[in-house]
Amino acid sequence: MERERVVGVMSALWSVGAGLLLLLLWVRHRGLEAVLVHHRWVFVCFFLLPLSILFDIYYQLRAWAVWRLHSAPRQHAQRVRHIQEQVREWKKEGSRRYMCTGRPGWLTVSLRVGKYKKTHKNIMINLMDVLEVDSERQVVRVEPLVSMGQLTAYLNPMGWTIPVVPELDDLTVGGLIMGTGIESSSHIYGLFQHTCVAYELVLADGSLVRCSPTENSDLFYAVPWSCGTLGFLVAAEIKMVPAKKYVKIHYEPVRGLQKICEKFTEESKKKENNFVEGLMYSLDEAVIMTGVLTDEAEQSKINRIGNYYKPWFFKHVEKYLKADRTGVEYIPSRHYYHRHTRSIFWELQDIIPFGNNPVFRYLFGWMVPPKISLLKLTQGEAIRKLYEQHHVVQDMLVPIKSLEKSIQTFHVDLNVYPLWLCPFILPNNPGMVHPKGNEAELYVDIGAYGEPKSKQFEARASMRQMEKFVRSVHGFQMLYADCYMTREEFWDMFDGSLYHKLREEMNCKDAFPEVYDKICKAARH
């Protein structure tokens, strides 16, 4: 029996080895670049998915060890002092070049390649832990590299969550503050920055400063959207809300653009909806989803959509549209918060075309998704150029009163579906992003991710046309994406008054590039 088992194992190893050898010979025959461009799924499935699993295991073990040893709070002060020492060393060297975080550009979720990392002084910031949960104040204090997946896994067992949990597990607190973040609860709570109550930063002179709405308030309101050009974020305090077991979600297919916009606006204004989201599958077809947090559920209607073998969420939602019927389900809360993670919204269908096939899901779905950072690291110049010219990943934030006109513009200039619709309330706070009037206003994030089908699409010209439209309705472009605006156009879209005032007062001009120079293509090329 033992001999037969050994023979069986050896036979399996020989089969795997032979398969890998044949794969390598095929790759050599076709050429590595040709395989990466035209058969990217081969590289992703055989290399990036296993590597992504190892990444996840490492970070989960690290987070568990930190939690067991309670080492994060003790080490935080020491790590911050190290950052301060690096900044002071930069000053001693004569402040000859700008500073930036030492985190490699490929580790960020943004698809943009940060070339400035090679020319700027890299300040190493190893801050990736949850520091404190204050149940009395209902606040969690975290370091900037804490991810959304890590934070919800930490808080949910304690009965807490945060009000706005932006999609995708790997999004970090620092990125969501210095850039921005949104979720289907944002019609109540606003953007991710609006759920934060304090920030701690190391400034250009090496000092450590805490800011909040009542303490260094100008800095508190200027930090969001500044992309790390006012200082280094070392900690943030975020509001918490009680967690519940399920989200009771109602699916409603709607046809006709005007009816879609009316229904979406109507549901977005209802405070009794804890969550509101829309997926548009064509110019006149959509599913509007509303959700309510609950601890009770009908057992027959529970859908654990986050399980690896389940259909991708956007494909599951589409079934209601095709069947032309409404529906109600109960989704476990954490599954709901990360419902688009497995398919990276719908981007993964372009990388692994058969990824939603039941056979693939059951056999390999537990390995999905590949890390976005690893996709970036291995994409190569050919794929990067291909994506830049024939692929869009954009989020435009527009007043909800302009929703119908905005969708029509997206259709003409891009013609990318599905479109993601996510409402949010934008308070009239100081800073780079606020409504045109003196009161809070309801906005909507229109997310376009995929290959444009518009015949006249040309990356630079089409996106400049989109940016012009968004400026005309007093909207905003998320800064993680490719931005083609001139400096004048950029500061027409964003309010730079407070930002420029603080850069002058805090001597940032020699320490950090202006946000435009850091993110806009016109400045980087």
Side-chain angles (χ1 to χ4, degrees):
M1 182 67 74
E2 186 64 31
R3 187 172 181 275
E4 289 176 359
R5 188 182 294 118
V6 171
V7 170
V9 170
M10 291 300 294
S11 177
L13 288 173
W14 274 110
S15 299
V16 171
L20 286 173
L21 181 61
L22 288 172
L23 175 64
L24 291 172
L25 289 172
W26 178 71
V27 168
R28 184 179 179 185
H29 171 70
R30 292 298 306 271
L32 181 59
E33 184 169 296
V35 170
L36 290 178
V37 172
H38 301 292
H39 307 278
R40 200 177 185 199
W41 65 267
V42 174
F43 186 73
V44 170
C45 291
F46 285 94
F47 295 98
L48 293 195
L49 287 180
L51 198 55
S52 297
I53 291 293
L54 293 177
F55 259 62
D56 280 336
I57 291 172
Y58 167 75
Y59 282 112
Q60 287 171 11
L61 287 174
R62 185 194 176 283
W64 177 83
V66 167
W67 174 73
R68 290 291 296 175
L69 297 172
H70 304 287
S71 61
R74 292 197 305 271
Q75 293 182 358
H76 176 73
Q78 179 183 338
R79 289 171 179 163
V80 171
R81 282 195 297 272
H82 179 58
I83 294 166
Q84 292 177 284
E85 289 168 4
Q86 293 177 77
V87 173
R88 288 168 184 148
E89 185 64 30
W90 165 82
K91 287 190 72 177
K92 285 181 185 177
E93 293 171 354
S95 311
R96 290 189 298 271
R97 49 187 177 144
Y98 291 137
M99 291 183 289
C100 67
T101 65
R103 191 184 188 207
W106 60 269
L107 271 176
T108 64
V109 172
S110 167
L111 295 180
R112 185 173 55 245
V113 178
K115 295 181 179 180
Y116 60 86
K117 296 279 186 181
K118 296 177 181 178
T119 57
H120 293 184
K121 169 74 172 178
N122 283 213
I123 304 297
M124 301 310 297
I125 297 179
N126 184 29
L127 300 171
M128 57 181 73
D129 296 313
V130 178
L131 297 173
E132 179 186 4
V133 175
D134 189 333
S135 298
E136 287 189 14
R137 290 176 60 218
Q138 295 192 13
V139 166
V140 57
R141 182 167 172 256
V142 299
E143 293 179 329
L145 294 181
V146 167
S147 70
M148 288 299 98
Q150 176 186 354
L151 187 55
T152 55
Y154 191 94
L155 292 179
N156 286 174
M158 301 180 185
W160 294 104
T161 187
I162 55 176
V164 175
V165 184
E167 273 295 344
L168 305 183
D169 287 13
D170 292 342
L171 292 172
T172 63
V173 168
L176 294 168
I177 291 171
M178 291 295 184
T180 195
I182 192 170
E183 185 43 276
S184 52
S185 57
S186 288
H187 66 296
I188 298 173
Y189 298 105
L191 298 171
F192 186 82
Q193 69 201 58
H194 301 127
T195 67
C196 297
V197 296
Y199 310 127
E200 296 168 39
L201 296 100
V202 171
L203 303 183
D205 62 358
S207 61
L208 176 64
V209 172
R210 183 179 187 272
C211 58
S212 71
T214 57
E215 179 185 4
N216 298 310
S217 60
D218 278 357
L219 181 58
F220 177 78
Y221 290 115
V223 162
W225 295 76
S226 67
C227 298
T229 59
L230 293 173
F232 295 108
L233 185 70
V234 295
E237 295 176 26
I238 309 166
K239 294 175 187 173
M240 297 189 303
V241 293
K244 293 192 176 182
K245 291 180 181 178
Y246 302 100
V247 175
K248 181 183 180 181
I249 188 166
H250 178 263
Y251 303 91
E252 183 169 349
V254 186
R255 286 180 166 81
L257 181 57
Q258 185 178 348
K259 288 184 179 179
I260 290 168
C261 294
E262 288 173 354
K263 180 65 177 176
F264 185 78
T265 302
E266 176 191 339
E267 296 297 342
S268 299
K269 290 179 178 178
K270 293 179 181 177
K271 298 301 182 186
E272 60 265 33
N273 289 329
N274 296 129
F275 306 98
V276 179
E277 175 183 26
L279 293 184
M280 292 200 66
Y281 291 91
S282 72
L283 181 61
D284 57 2
E285 293 180 311
V287 178
I288 307 299
M289 290 161 280
T290 56
V292 178
L293 286 162
T294 178
D295 283 321
E296 306 298 327
E298 299 176 49
Q299 291 299 312
S300 61
K301 294 184 178 180
I302 293 176
N303 183 2
R304 303 184 188 281
I305 196 70
N307 287 348
Y308 70 88
Y309 51 83
K310 288 284 189 174
W312 290 346
F313 184 70
F314 78 98
K315 288 293 188 183
H316 171 67
V317 174
E318 192 176 17
K319 291 177 183 176
Y320 291 95
L321 182 66
K322 289 181 175 178
D324 196 23
R325 64 179 178 87
T326 60
V328 173
E329 289 184 326
Y330 295 82
I331 299 179
S333 294
R334 192 156 185 266
H335 288 223
Y336 177 82
Y337 289 138
H338 303 285
R339 64 199 177 281
H340 291 298
T341 292
R342 287 190 300 125
S343 56
I344 317 178
F345 280 88
W346 30 93
E347 287 278 68
L348 199 57
Q349 67 181 350
D350 291 335
I351 300 170
I352 308 177
F354 47 83
N356 194 49
N357 182 284
V359 175
F360 181 86
R361 291 201 314 266
Y362 274 88
L363 293 178
F364 305 107
W366 57 276
M367 302 173 77
V368 166
K371 291 285 184 188
I372 295 176
S373 53
L374 294 179
L375 289 171
K376 278 178 66 177
L377 180 64
T378 59
Q379 68 180 357
E381 190 63 18
I383 293 178
R384 189 189 68 76
K385 287 182 178 178
L386 195 68
Y387 263 61
E388 190 173 291
Q389 294 302 318
H390 305 286
H391 197 92
V392 295
V393 179
Q394 291 282 348
D395 283 86
M396 298 294 187
L397 315 181
V398 298
I400 205 163
K401 63 189 178 188
S402 303
L403 178 58
E404 186 173 347
K405 187 167 38 168
S406 301
I407 291 172
Q408 289 170 337
T409 302
F410 268 72
H411 180 77
V412 171
D413 290 343
L414 302 179
N415 194 8
V416 171
Y417 293 98
L419 286 178
W420 190 53
L421 304 181
C422 184
F424 69 99
I425 190 73
L426 184 61
N428 187 34
N429 292 339
M432 285 176 61
V433 172
H434 55 74
K436 193 170 186 179
N438 296 321
E439 296 180 356
E441 186 175 348
L442 196 59
Y443 272 61
V444 57
D445 174 8
I446 305 177
Y449 324 119
E451 183 180 351
K453 300 296 189 295
S454 175
K455 291 181 180 177
Q456 67 264 31
F457 178 79
E458 191 280 317
R460 185 178 185 278
S462 298
M463 287 317 306
R464 280 190 55 74
Q465 187 69 21
M466 287 289 301
E467 291 164 350
K468 181 181 179 181
F469 168 79
V470 172
R471 290 197 305 275
S472 74
V473 296
H474 197 72
F476 309 95
Q477 180 181 22
M478 281 199 185
L479 300 183
Y480 75 87
D482 284 336
C483 173
Y484 294 85
M485 289 182 281
T486 65
R487 193 179 303 272
E488 292 71 28
E489 290 166 344
F490 182 86
W491 291 118
D492 180 43
M493 178 180 284
F494 297 98
D495 182 354
S497 54
L498 180 61
Y499 172 79
H500 290 303
K501 171 176 170 273
L502 283 179
R503 275 179 62 83
E504 194 75 46
E505 290 177 359
M506 300 192 308
N507 298 317
C508 293
K509 289 189 173 182
D510 293 329
F512 308 104
E514 185 183 300
V515 61
Y516 175 81
D517 295 312
K518 191 170 183 180
I519 63 98
C520 284
K521 293 184 80 67
R524 292 183 289 122
H525 296 288

